[in-house]
Amino acid sequence: TTTTTRRQPDVLIRNSAETAYLGDNVYNADGTNQTKAQTVSNSAKATYALKVQNDGNVTDSVKVTGTAAATGWTIRYFDALSGGTDVTSSVTGTGWTVLSMAAGAVKEFRVEVTPGATIAGGALHHVLVTATSTGDATKKDVVKATTTTATRRQPDGMVRNAADTAYVGDNNYEATPTAAQTKAQTVANGAKATYMLKVQNDGNVTDSVKVAGTAAATGWTIRYFDALSGGTDITSSMTGTGWTPAALAAGAAKEFRVEVTPGTTIASGALHHVLLTATSTGDATKKDVVKAT
């Protein structure tokens, strides 16, 4: 009696924080019932632990191939669960071969998937990892790792004096503006101080941003306009329920201005603080405030 030779690689997957692998004794070509998923922020990595096992009854070598990175993403394969050698070029090329695996033997390795800073929130990248018997190329198994970019919403308010060229407050997000997000001017009674304002979408998805501003105290005049020069007077909206410009794509910005004028009865040295608050309409907890004094 002769035992029939059987060759069958079995590749398994788990998230790095888990202990149990998925896909044991399941063999298919698309990762069905052998899929793991993670959601990570831009520039953060999702790590998947992988294991290839020789489920055949003879010693066999197994070739491992995997998906290469799409534009804006980084995918790296290593030959160990931690540390190890980077085998990305082999896995995404002609294949990385685990040599002479005895029946029942296993080899663990990992893949790290990172969405770049410019990847939009909600974007997916599917990574398929295939283990193929070198003794019988019809015998293979596939697992899948699906990584989703976490949605981030963050308006960024900035301010400058009309005579300046550079805004302050870029990439600072404060509910109570510090000096890093404050501009000041001194003007005569009846003269106006003009501040240029910019709200930028620092999130990774298109978002609408509502902007609100301080109303004028007695004896002062404050007017808001939807452009750096000319434009439409939006004071009633700014000092009311808020002004919402057109939706901003990730990274896009809208510039506008505020004009502050002390009346003839305002005493020398008197201050008027104007707070400009930009709030994401998609997530009201995400906001930024700048100040003009």
Side-chain angles (χ1 to χ4, degrees):
T1 301
T2 302
T3 305
T4 302
T5 297
R6 187 181 73 255
R7 299 178 187 274
Q8 181 58 65
D10 188 8
V11 62
L12 296 76
I13 187 171
R14 64 178 172 86
N15 293 327
S16 59
E18 299 170 342
T19 56
Y21 282 97
L22 181 67
D24 190 23
N25 296 324
V26 178
Y27 316 114
N28 58 48
D30 60 5
T32 299
N33 298 322
Q34 302 192 92
T35 298
K36 280 292 182 178
Q38 294 183 49
T39 299
V40 294
S41 301
N42 294 83
S43 302
K45 67 184 177 186
T47 301
Y48 301 89
L50 302 162
K51 180 167 70 172
V52 62
Q53 181 170 294
N54 180 6
D55 281 1
N57 61 3
V58 292
T59 297
D60 198 7
S61 294
V62 177
K63 184 172 69 174
V64 178
T65 56
T67 305
T71 301
W73 293 75
T74 301
I75 297 178
R76 299 177 70 193
Y77 298 86
F78 295 87
D79 66 356
L81 293 184
S82 63
T85 300
D86 189 323
V87 292
T88 305
S89 60
S90 296
V91 173
T92 60
T94 57
W96 167 59
T97 302
V98 183
L99 296 172
S100 299
M101 299 182 70
V106 301
K107 172 63 179 176
E108 291 180 299
F109 57 109
R110 75 184 188 279
V111 59
E112 298 175 354
V113 185
T114 306
T118 61
I119 299 299
L124 301 175
H125 199 321
H126 301 293
V127 173
L128 295 176
V129 178
T130 303
T132 304
S133 165
T134 61
D136 181 354
T138 68
K139 300 299 184 181
K140 58 182 63 181
D141 189 28
V142 179
V143 295
K144 183 163 69 172
T146 298
T147 304
T148 303
T149 309
T151 297
R152 186 183 73 254
R153 298 180 187 273
Q154 181 58 66
D156 190 5
M158 291 169 256
V159 61
R160 65 178 172 88
N161 292 329
D164 299 335
T165 56
Y167 285 95
V168 299
D170 189 22
N171 295 326
N172 284 351
Y173 315 115
E174 300 173 331
T176 302
T178 62
Q181 300 208 102
T182 298
K183 276 293 181 176
Q185 295 181 49
T186 299
V187 294
N189 293 78
K192 67 183 177 185
T194 300
Y195 301 89
M196 304 308 190
L197 305 163
K198 180 164 73 170
V199 60
Q200 181 170 292
N201 179 7
D202 281 2
N204 62 6
V205 291
T206 297
D207 198 9
S208 294
V209 178
K210 184 172 70 174
V211 185
T214 304
T218 302
W220 294 75
T221 301
I222 297 179
R223 298 179 69 195
Y224 299 88
F225 295 86
D226 67 355
L228 295 184
S229 63
T232 301
D233 189 320
I234 53 172
T235 305
S236 61
S237 296
M238 287 286 296
T239 60
T241 57
W243 168 64
T244 304
L248 297 172
K254 171 63 179 175
E255 292 180 296
F256 55 111
R257 75 183 187 278
V258 59
E259 299 175 354
V260 185
T261 306
T264 56
T265 62
I266 299 300
S268 175
L271 300 176
H272 198 316
H273 301 294
V274 175
L275 296 179
L276 284 301
T277 303
T279 304
S280 165
T281 60
D283 181 353
T285 68
K286 300 298 183 181
K287 58 183 65 183
D288 190 29
V289 183
V290 297
K291 183 165 68 172
T293 297

